[in-house]
Amino acid sequence: MRRIFLLLLVLLTSACSRNIESQQSLTIYTGRDKDEVAKVVELFAQKYPNYKVNTITLGAQAALDRLRAEKSNPQAGFLWGGTLQGLQQAANEGLLAPSNPANASLIDASRKDPQGRWFAEMLLPEVIIYNHDLLKPEQAPKDWDDLITPAFKDKVVIRDVMASGTMRTIFSAMIYRPYASTRSPDAGYLWLKKLDANTVVYTPTPDDMYLKLDRGVGTVTLWNLQDALIQPMKNNRPWSFVIPASGVPVLLDGAGIVNNPQSAQAALDFENFLLEPKLQAQLAKDYYQIPAIKLPDSDKPEWLAKLNIKEMEIDWEVLSQKQTDWMNYWSQNIKGRAGK
């Protein structure tokens, strides 16, 4: 009897070992909302139990820098989150691999790489957020230029720009507004200099920026619509938002398969899963996400069906070409230098 028990134990242990060995690993670099990431990974694991998924939370710029550092020995298999500029840089540097996900045809051609190395997953209108416990609606800024008026001296809190793909793109869009007609960044630099004079703090992380805004260290910030909607609901933050009257930059936030042959199939399965219309409709409902995939009107949640955004006209190719130089100039000559 004991011999039979030992034999069963050996067989069970061997089966478990084979199961663990057959389970493939997929590491995802992502800057997305942690709850959203956890939910999507949970659903993916239910459909693909043979994959062990690890997620590492990184801002868009930090993720790009890490992929560059790991190019000769890639650790990640999938990049989930990144601006058009960052994704295109990653693609051009050979950090992302081409793919052809099942629902790629539902994404507009302007919102995916012609070679299939990245695809937009969601759209991010950029708005002005304010603490409604400290500012009445009539006191809140109505447009971008209100932020550089004396009324908001030491009232602006900003996520540190150089580490954030989102903030790099917002600041570059502010430079591009006059650049479109003058072909010079000087007026945009002057605008950012005035904003710097009104900025009380640059925070190292989004979470730190959220807390500073909650506690009144600053009363306004520039950030994305998704967080403006989801953070008050999820974390009871005292936030309201304004859609600037002159128009807003609408960023894309995308995804791509990392050029890592060891996890290529797992990454492709995750990409197909992520870009499935039913999942995207659910994310729109639960996490205020605007899908880049075209959804039938019947699948759109009420808030999305009613959303009215005036999109700022931007030549994204020009902005992509200029962004690094513009942001380096801001970092070296404008940040923290107001009054100097």
Short mmCIF file of all heavy atoms in Angstrom, two decimals, residues 25 126 141 157 178 185 217 248 267 272 301:
data_model
loop_
_atom_site.label_atom_id
_atom_site.label_comp_id
_atom_site.label_asym_id
_atom_site.label_seq_id
_atom_site.Cartn_x
_atom_site.Cartn_y
_atom_site.Cartn_z
N SER A 25 6.35 31.89 -20.23
CA SER A 25 6.32 33.16 -19.52
C SER A 25 6.18 34.32 -20.49
O SER A 25 6.76 34.30 -21.58
CB SER A 25 7.61 33.32 -18.70
OG SER A 25 7.63 34.56 -18.03
N GLU A 126 -6.44 64.99 -24.14
CA GLU A 126 -5.77 65.63 -23.01
C GLU A 126 -6.60 66.83 -22.55
O GLU A 126 -7.03 67.64 -23.37
CB GLU A 126 -4.37 66.06 -23.40
CG GLU A 126 -3.51 64.93 -23.93
CD GLU A 126 -3.46 63.72 -23.02
OE1 GLU A 126 -3.27 63.91 -21.80
OE2 GLU A 126 -3.61 62.59 -23.51
N PRO A 141 -9.87 77.06 -15.17
CA PRO A 141 -9.48 77.50 -16.51
C PRO A 141 -10.40 76.92 -17.56
O PRO A 141 -10.88 75.79 -17.43
CB PRO A 141 -8.05 76.94 -16.66
CG PRO A 141 -7.92 75.89 -15.62
CD PRO A 141 -8.85 76.23 -14.51
N VAL A 157 0.23 71.88 -10.79
CA VAL A 157 1.08 70.74 -10.45
C VAL A 157 1.18 69.86 -11.69
O VAL A 157 0.18 69.61 -12.37
CB VAL A 157 0.52 69.95 -9.24
CG1 VAL A 157 -0.90 69.49 -9.46
CG2 VAL A 157 1.41 68.76 -8.91
N PRO A 178 1.61 77.41 -32.01
CA PRO A 178 2.10 78.53 -32.81
C PRO A 178 3.07 78.09 -33.91
O PRO A 178 3.20 78.75 -34.94
CB PRO A 178 2.79 79.43 -31.78
CG PRO A 178 3.18 78.51 -30.66
CD PRO A 178 2.12 77.46 -30.62
N PRO A 185 9.69 77.44 -32.87
CA PRO A 185 9.21 77.01 -31.56
C PRO A 185 9.24 78.12 -30.51
O PRO A 185 8.82 77.91 -29.37
CB PRO A 185 10.19 75.90 -31.18
CG PRO A 185 11.48 76.33 -31.82
CD PRO A 185 11.08 76.99 -33.12
N VAL A 217 -1.81 71.03 -2.98
CA VAL A 217 -0.49 71.59 -3.25
C VAL A 217 -0.56 72.40 -4.54
O VAL A 217 0.05 73.45 -4.69
CB VAL A 217 0.57 70.47 -3.34
CG1 VAL A 217 1.92 71.03 -3.73
CG2 VAL A 217 0.66 69.73 -2.00
N VAL A 248 -8.28 70.03 -28.18
CA VAL A 248 -7.36 69.24 -27.36
C VAL A 248 -6.53 68.31 -28.23
O VAL A 248 -7.01 67.80 -29.25
CB VAL A 248 -8.13 68.41 -26.31
CG1 VAL A 248 -8.99 69.30 -25.43
CG2 VAL A 248 -9.01 67.34 -26.97
N ALA A 267 3.15 36.67 -26.90
CA ALA A 267 2.87 38.08 -27.13
C ALA A 267 1.81 38.27 -28.21
O ALA A 267 0.93 39.13 -28.09
CB ALA A 267 4.16 38.81 -27.52
N ASN A 272 -3.73 39.73 -29.80
CA ASN A 272 -5.03 39.40 -30.37
C ASN A 272 -6.14 39.49 -29.33
O ASN A 272 -7.23 39.98 -29.61
CB ASN A 272 -4.99 37.99 -30.97
CG ASN A 272 -4.43 37.97 -32.37
OD1 ASN A 272 -4.81 38.78 -33.21
ND2 ASN A 272 -3.52 37.05 -32.64
N PRO A 301 -20.56 52.48 -24.49
CA PRO A 301 -21.26 52.90 -23.27
C PRO A 301 -21.80 54.32 -23.43
O PRO A 301 -21.35 55.08 -24.30
CB PRO A 301 -20.16 52.83 -22.21
CG PRO A 301 -18.88 52.93 -22.96
CD PRO A 301 -19.12 52.31 -24.29
#
